[in-house]
Amino acid sequence: MPLPLILAQADTTDLSLCPVLLLLGVFFPLLAGLALLLLGRLGDAATRSVAALGFFVPAFAGVWLWLTLPTATANSAGYYYAFSQPLGLEHFGCSLKLGLNGISAPLFAMAGLVGLAAGLYAAWQPAERLRHYLLLLLIMQGGLMGLFASYDVLFYYFFHEIALIPTFLLMIGWGGPGRDYAAKEMAIYLTVGAMLSLGGLLALHVTSGAAKLGVAFDVPTLREFLKAQPLTETVQSNIYGLLLFGFGILVSLFPFHSWAQRTYTAAPTPVSMLHAGVLKKFGLY
């Protein structure tokens, strides 16, 4: 082989404070949401407290990790606070790989801060079925944090979908006038965009030969593999088209933008904050 194909195998699971904070930033909102699901008899005050903690922890983790990034040490793939955990998908070149770099760290902090503002606003505003409302927002928050913390491509996409699905449910259940039409329009546009994006990402891994050779499906490894074995111009153009239209729809790139205005008008305020302020950065990122 002309270069090391599995950079991530050099990563070790470092359980010092900062990697633990990274894990808490991603998974604590999901655990808080699970607590709300299982503890159905909690009163409104306790429900608000659990949810507030679920939003505070990722905000604290995001800001702390961003501020300490200049003093941290990167792993072999160029990511800080790296955590790698096999999940039985190694045959497909995938495993849970979390870490931050100079681009994702401020976005990770931004996701935490916007989530905290949206979560606190939601918790102390009158809402029907408060427990379910906050539960879905916490799931959305966990997906947003995982999105910017993942550098395995499959989990990067997976966390985006975790954040996206509650968006539809929150719009339908708690949206304003015109929510049914807006939710259906958003679902159609974003499902098409997500499928095109997934097709482009999978095509990149398969047509390059990386999947056949067992190359890890993470950003740094795939980037180095494609440098050594570049795709043909035709294949590059086709994959670029899939990714451009897929991610372009997700960020409401003209002329695929008509869904955005109706969505943000009909959606609950915290959902608009999280979707417009954070989730739409998925395609740009």
Side-chain angles (χ1 to χ4, degrees), residues 150-205:
S150 298
Y151 63 95
D152 180 277
V153 179
L154 178 65
F155 281 94
Y156 165 68
Y157 184 87
F158 173 71
F159 277 113
H160 172 264
E161 297 307 301
I162 286 181
L164 187 59
I165 293 172
T167 308
F168 303 133
L169 300 177
L170 286 161
M171 277 194 63
I172 293 172
W174 291 270
R179 62 187 180 185
D180 291 338
Y181 180 85
K184 291 174 184 177
E185 183 182 35
M186 182 179 69
I188 293 171
Y189 269 101
L190 297 190
T191 299
V192 171
M195 292 298 100
L196 289 173
S197 302
L198 179 61
L201 294 172
L202 292 176
L204 194 63
H205 198 227

Side-chain angles (χ1 to χ4, degrees), residues 63-147:
V63 173
W64 180 273
L65 295 176
W66 181 31
L67 293 177
T68 58
L69 192 74
T71 61
T73 302
N75 68 355
S76 58
Y79 285 82
Y80 299 85
Y81 321 123
F83 176 89
S84 180
Q85 178 62 48
L87 294 176
L89 299 172
E90 291 69 40
H91 178 72
F92 303 100
C94 301
S95 61
L96 179 63
K97 296 186 181 76
L98 302 178
L100 300 175
N101 60 16
I103 297 176
S104 61
L107 291 170
F108 188 76
M110 177 198 69
L113 290 173
V114 175
L116 178 61
L120 293 180
Y121 178 87
W124 272 271
Q125 289 294 312
E128 297 179 357
R129 307 182 302 281
L130 180 66
R131 182 170 64 93
H132 298 93
Y133 185 42
L134 295 174
L135 163 63
L136 290 170
L137 282 174
L138 285 165
I139 294 173
M140 189 175 179
Q141 179 69 15
L144 293 173
M145 302 304 291
L147 188 162

Side-chain angles (χ1 to χ4, degrees), residues 22-34:
L22 181 65
L23 289 171
L24 286 174
V26 174
F27 293 107
F28 196 85
L30 299 176
L31 291 175
L34 180 62

